[in-house]
Each structure stands twice: as structure tokens, then as C-alpha cells.
Amino acid sequence: MESPNPSTAGKPIRCKAAVCRKAGEPLAIEEINVDPPRAREARIRVICTSICNTDVSFWRMTSSPGGFFPRILGHEAVGVVESVGEGVTELKTGDTVVPVFLPDCGGECADCRSENSNLCSKLPFKLSPGMPRDGTSRFADLRGNVIHNFLSVSGFSEYTVVDVAHLTKVDSSAPPERACLLNCGIAAGVGAAWRKANVQKGSTVAIFGLGSIGLAVAEGARLCGAGRVIGIDAYPEKLEMAKKFGVTEFVNPVDCGDKSLSQVCHLKTPENFELELLCFRFSPFLLCLTKVCYQGWGKTIVLGVGGEGSEMKLKCMDVLQSGRTLTGALFGGLKPKTHIPILLQRYIHKELELDKFVTHEMEFEDINKAFDLLVEGKCLRCVIWLYRPDQSAACLMPRVV
């Protein structure tokens, strides 16, 4: 792959971006100015990006904590380092990187040094409209007005500036259209089964919700050798797709009749089976979740949230007597700089099946069509190409402002 032109280092550049100017309105592809990276930052030439439901949620959001406009959405991307700022020694021009919403300072804080946490305490995750260290933006429109950042990535731009704590270097030979799947939901689902739940060979796993993250949990459970994977969803049409990801049985909570969901699950699972429950979102059935997993060692893992103000209430005696574990898992418990390269290698070695998550591919100018597909529930992941790696070197050269 050709390296970007180093003569642009330290200078503002002009490129195209898909700008969200108002909640729910089509993205506007327009020219913007991108500042050079500051200390501990890198400017990235984005190769491709995929679209996640999180992008759709923030695209619609009109109020705090995430309703900032105008902004450049996108957080599932892969790109090439164009230039680096002061103090950056771990990356250089031409490196292939995956930007990740979750920071990983690489060992500067106790959390990143520990095997027990993936939550960086030096640069805590927050829904900021600016860069993580100084809160300012590196984007502006041609009138000089600030355009806000998104989840420290802003991948819907030909060039973006990302803090090094949010960048993971990966093998440049890896297919970019698959590498971009490993920085949010797909990695989170696989990681929840692999790292957080530590699913063992022969285990039984129940998954509440068979969207893309739930299917990624199923893929992670398959990768770990789970014996049975029970998918729980109110939409039976998802069953055929779920089978491709390793779901072996299906429960529709609407059809439980006079039995509770936990009773139905236990009927499907012999009492001497271990049942590890992976829940990717809050649901009306949340209160029964901890009763589904097996007493003594069962695990309930929450990977997502419901509406604003969602609550979970538990009886202290139930928690004490059951011996079950309830935990959250932001990004599936994965440490980005450690585990993303491992997952990518497992894909290259044909162990992790990422291909089946990509249902569509489009060019950058068609990004609004990709949003429509996701909103209508017609795709799992759509890869958006900002440039093709086989394009001429001239296509990689940014325009200096």
C-alpha cells in the first residue's frame, strides 16, 4: 500500500467528509479543513468504515449527552497514518491503524497495566464532542466553523485526527474491509464470550437479542467451543440468520404462555448444564436474567443499554443465595491494543468468521443509502469505501489548505 505524502505533515489539509448538520437529516458530503495532529495525536487517511447502530442512535439524538451538531459520525474505521504529532513514537507515517472509541493508554495507568480491566483511567471514556486531551476539535467547515468529533474517531471523513490512546496498529496485509469490523460491536460480542465470560468447551450460552452484537456473541461462543447456544428474540424471522452464527436453539419470549422466560430456558437446559447468559441490551425481561443462568457459577453479562434512565432492580437475598455473577462489559472486556490484533490474526487463520457480518459494500457518496439499510433492518454491517487500496498514489495525496 502506498504511504501518504509526508510533505503535508504539520499543515492543515482539505478533504471530503459526511457531515451530520441536524439530527435525523441526511448526511451532507462536503469539503472540510482538517488540522494537523497535536501532541500525542495522529492524522489518519481513512480507507473504509462500517456503520454501526451506535452511529444511527447518535445521528438521531437531539439532546445531552450526545446531541452535538454539526459533527462527523463514524467509529468503525481503518486507515493509514499520514502524519503524527509531537511525542508520538509508537506510530509512524504509513502504519495501518484501527481507531477505537475505547481508550488504551498502553500501560501509563494502573488499569491498562492490569489484566483485570479494560477501562483506561488516564483518559476515561466519555461522550465528548472534542479530542480527549484538550476537548477541542480538529475539523472546521470552509467558513471556519467548528465541526464536532464523534467518539474520538469520526471515521466518516477522508482524513481524521485521532489520539494515540485510541489507535491500535494492525498488520498492513490484513483486509481493511474486515479490520474495520473490530473496533466496536462485533469485537465486543466476540470478546464478551471469549474474554469476559470465558466460555468453555461444551458450555451452554443464552443470548438475549439477535442483532449484530448478539450474533457476534454467538460467533464468539462458537469460537470458544460452546455446546449449545440459545438465541432469545421476539422476531422469529431472525432464526435462519442466527443459525449461520452458531445459534442452535431459539426461544421467542412472546410465546412463553403461562411460563416465565426463565422457566422456558430451564426446560431447554438440563439442570446439570452450566448456563452462561450473555445479554447485549436491556429488555423488558431484564429482571429475570439472573434467574436464567445456573446458580453458583452462572454469569449474566450486559453489553448494551436501553433507553435513557433504564434501571435494573435486584433483591439482595436473591443475589446472596444464588451465587450468580452480574457484570457489565464495555467493548466486551477487550483491551484494544492487545486483543484487536489477536482477533484479526484469528480471522486471517480462518478461525474467526468475519465475512458473514458484511452484507453490503458501498462507495462513500452512497453513505445515506447505507444508513437507510441499517434503519430498515436490512443489513448487519455495510462497509463504506473512502478509497480503494489499489487506487493510484495520487488518490492518497491530500490538498494542503
Side-chain angles (χ1 to χ4, degrees):
M1 185 182 298
E2 299 281 353
S3 296
N5 185 358
S7 66
T8 57
K11 302 173 184 177
I13 58 176
R14 185 164 294 174
C15 69
K16 290 182 179 180
V19 181
C20 182
R21 291 202 164 272
K22 189 174 181 181
E25 290 190 352
L27 306 184
I29 296 183
E30 55 186 78
E31 290 204 328
I32 65 164
N33 293 328
V34 183
D35 287 342
R38 299 183 187 179
R40 302 297 291 155
E41 297 174 357
R43 190 159 58 190
I44 311 301
R45 182 19 157 149
V46 177
I47 300 172
C48 60
T49 181
S50 62
I51 300 179
C52 170
N53 279 301
T54 300
D55 295 309
V56 174
S57 296
F58 280 87
W59 169 65
R60 290 169 167 164
M61 196 172 292
T62 58
S63 59
S64 184
F68 302 103
F69 301 96
R71 78 189 317 168
I72 299 172
L73 297 167
H75 63 292
E76 293 192 342
V78 64
V80 178
V81 175
E82 174 266 342
S83 60
V84 299
E86 181 183 353
V88 177
T89 58
E90 58 268 68
L91 295 172
K92 65 183 184 303
T93 297
D95 283 346
T96 301
V97 290
V98 171
V100 187
F101 76 93
L102 190 70
D104 181 345
C105 70
E108 296 179 40
C109 72
D111 287 278
C112 289
R113 288 193 298 270
S114 172
E115 287 293 318
N116 299 318
S117 174
N118 71 332
L119 303 179
C120 179
S121 52
K122 181 178 177 64
L123 294 167
F125 170 73
K126 55 185 176 181
L127 297 174
S128 170
M131 299 296 289
R133 295 180 197 261
D134 64 12
T136 61
S137 176
R138 304 292 173 265
F139 304 118
D141 63 23
L142 300 190
R143 296 183 296 276
N145 300 313
V146 170
I147 300 175
H148 298 301
N149 195 284
F150 178 62
L151 292 181
S152 299
V153 177
S154 288
F156 295 166
S157 175
E158 291 178 327
Y159 285 84
T160 186
V161 178
V162 183
D163 191 283
V164 292
H166 291 267
L167 289 172
T168 295
K169 183 179 176 179
V170 296
D171 188 342
S172 61
S173 66
E177 69 273 24
R178 297 299 178 262
C180 71
L181 303 177
L182 294 176
N183 40 17
C184 190
I186 307 304
V190 173
W194 169 41
R195 296 287 302 176
K196 199 68 175 181
N198 190 26
V199 170
Q200 301 297 304
K201 186 174 182 179
S203 295
T204 297
V205 178
I207 304 168
F208 278 68
L210 296 176
S212 58
I213 299 179
L215 294 175
V217 172
E219 172 63 13
R222 183 202 63 78
L223 196 65
C224 294
R228 300 171 68 188
V229 180
I230 303 172
I232 302 167
D233 200 289
Y235 298 94
E237 61 270 20
K238 293 182 179 181
L239 176 57
E240 290 307 311
M241 172 69 76
K243 288 179 180 178
K244 299 178 183 178
F245 291 84
V247 172
T248 59
E249 299 161 58
F250 184 83
V251 174
N252 186 341
V254 177
D255 298 333
C256 287
D258 57 355
K259 293 184 176 64
S260 69
L261 185 55
S262 60
Q263 287 175 321
V264 172
C265 287
H266 281 300
L267 286 173
K268 297 183 75 68
T269 306
E271 195 170 352
N272 62 346
F273 264 68
E274 176 180 1
L275 177 63
E276 294 173 321
L277 175 66
L278 304 170
C279 174
F280 91 98
R281 66 184 301 175
F282 286 106
S283 75
F285 310 101
L286 188 59
L287 291 178
C288 78
L289 298 190
T290 55
K291 295 181 180 180
V292 173
C293 57
Y294 197 71
Q295 66 178 11
W297 69 84
K299 302 172 187 177
T300 300
I301 299 175
V302 180
L303 293 181
V305 296
E308 185 177 352
S310 295
E311 295 182 352
M312 182 175 186
K313 296 180 180 179
L314 298 171
K315 293 181 179 179
C316 292
M317 188 60 71
D318 288 344
V319 175
L320 174 65
Q321 290 182 327
S322 72
R324 301 176 177 103
T325 298
L326 169 64
T327 183
L330 190 60
F331 196 49
L334 298 178
K335 286 179 175 290
K337 294 183 189 298
T338 301
H339 297 128
I340 288 178
I342 293 174
L343 289 176
L344 194 53
Q345 285 301 308
R346 296 194 77 173
Y347 167 73
I348 291 171
H349 294 150
K350 303 186 184 304
E351 299 170 12
L352 176 62
E353 298 176 3
L354 294 177
D355 296 347
K356 56 193 178 186
F357 287 97
V358 178
T359 53
H360 299 77
E361 293 190 25
M362 294 185 181
E363 302 303 316
F364 190 29
E365 58 266 24
D366 295 321
I367 192 168
N368 286 304
K369 295 180 182 178
F371 261 68
D372 290 341
L373 287 171
L374 199 62
V375 169
E376 295 166 5
K378 295 180 179 178
C379 79
L380 293 178
R381 282 295 185 271
C382 179
V383 172
I384 305 295
W385 288 95
L386 282 82
Y387 83 82
R388 301 277 182 172
D390 57 356
Q391 286 177 300
S392 67
C395 295
L396 301 178
M397 295 176 62
R399 291 155 288 163
V400 177
V401 175

